[in-house]
Amino acid sequence: MTVGHELLNESGVPTIQEAKEYLREAEHLNPGPWVRHVELVALAARAIAERDPRIDSERAYVLGLLHDIGRRTGGPNIADVRHILDGFAFMRAEGFEESARVCLTHSFPAPIKDVGAFASSWDCPTEECHFVQSYLNGIEYSTYDRLIQLCDALAQPTGFCLIEKRLIEVALRHGVNEFTLTKWRAFLGLRREFDEAVGTSIYRLLPGVVENTFGFQSVG
């Protein structure tokens, strides 16, 4: 294990190799397009982090790989909200507090901290809803929290895309509620934050955005 990986482990996230092993196990338990999505989120997080002096790119990559790790227990009859709770519990049990945290925070883009803003219906026990709300109330979002929130809105399983396309796709699947427009503004605000941090449009760092957004292949 390299010194860099030791530091990753001590700071609340697994090593890159450990993260990949967790993801392989999760894919075996619950295969699906979500796996490619998290791989792309991780790649986007690393690409942005390499240009942002506030962020360690390996740490960002690991957090991206594991933000949806709760889907390891998923299936067609499992509530979508279940994945943030299962991911939090799993990563905390493994001893990785920061990874556990991002499993919860990635679904509530800064500055939103309201469980009512979750994209799909909250059909888990009331005490779990209260736990998530209490947890969100007790933290300040970190740069890593905000980065993974942003990257989650940049990656479909088919590739990177404009945030607007991803937001519409989520709305078509899960519907809208009183928080929808607030969330959209929050995601656009995150994009502006990281555009400024890296000194260019984040889209310049992500290959295939135009092709995947508009559904055609470039020529020449």
Side-chain angles (χ1 to χ4, degrees), residues 4-214:
H5 285 176
E6 289 173 352
L7 290 174
L8 283 174
N9 201 306
E10 291 170 0
S11 62
V13 299
T15 66
I16 290 175
Q17 184 58 41
E18 287 170 335
K20 290 181 176 179
E21 289 171 0
Y22 283 131
L23 187 58
R24 278 196 294 269
E25 178 186 53
E27 183 177 22
H28 176 74
L29 292 170
N30 182 30
W34 73 271
V35 177
R36 184 55 181 158
H37 163 71
V38 301
E39 291 172 339
L40 288 167
V41 169
L43 291 173
R46 183 169 65 188
I48 294 169
E50 286 173 348
R51 298 281 296 269
D52 188 334
R54 302 173 298 173
I55 309 172
D56 177 83
S57 60
E58 288 193 3
R59 186 193 203 93
Y61 181 76
V62 167
L63 291 171
L65 278 182
L66 296 176
H67 79 280
D68 272 350
I69 197 65
R71 295 195 185 279
R72 67 196 299 277
T73 58
N77 299 317
I78 301 296
D80 189 55
V81 72
R82 186 80 251 155
H83 86 280
I84 69 172
L85 291 155
D86 288 350
F88 178 87
F90 179 70
M91 284 284 96
R92 175 170 272 190
E94 293 294 301
F96 300 114
E97 188 66 30
E98 187 172 3
S99 290
R101 168 190 172 119
V102 169
C103 287
L104 286 188
T105 62
H106 80 269
S107 291
F108 305 96
I112 297 172
K113 292 183 179 180
D114 192 310
V115 295
F118 195 79
S120 56
S121 61
W122 194 284
D123 51 0
C124 291
T126 301
E127 59 269 24
E128 292 184 332
C129 179
H130 289 166
F131 165 75
V132 175
Q133 187 63 69
S134 176
Y135 186 89
L136 294 175
N137 289 343
I139 63 171
E140 293 296 328
Y141 283 141
S142 70
T143 307
Y144 291 95
D145 290 320
R146 298 194 303 276
L147 176 65
I148 302 305
Q149 291 163 4
L150 171 66
C151 294
D152 193 32
L154 292 169
Q156 295 181 304
T158 52
F160 301 118
C161 64
L162 293 179
I163 288 176
E164 291 84 349
K165 178 171 182 175
R166 172 78 169 155
L167 297 182
I168 292 296
E169 184 267 336
V170 171
L172 289 172
R173 280 192 291 122
H174 297 296
V176 298
N177 61 26
E178 62 186 292
F179 289 94
T180 299
L181 292 181
T182 302
K183 285 185 71 173
W184 289 3
R185 293 186 185 101
F187 281 117
L188 296 175
L190 290 170
R191 193 207 69 210
R192 288 192 295 271
E193 174 192 343
F194 285 93
D195 281 349
E196 293 175 3
V198 303
T200 188
S201 169
I202 56 169
Y203 295 123
R204 293 182 181 274
L205 310 179
L206 307 176
V209 169
V210 171
E211 293 80 4
N212 192 57
T213 297
F214 298 104

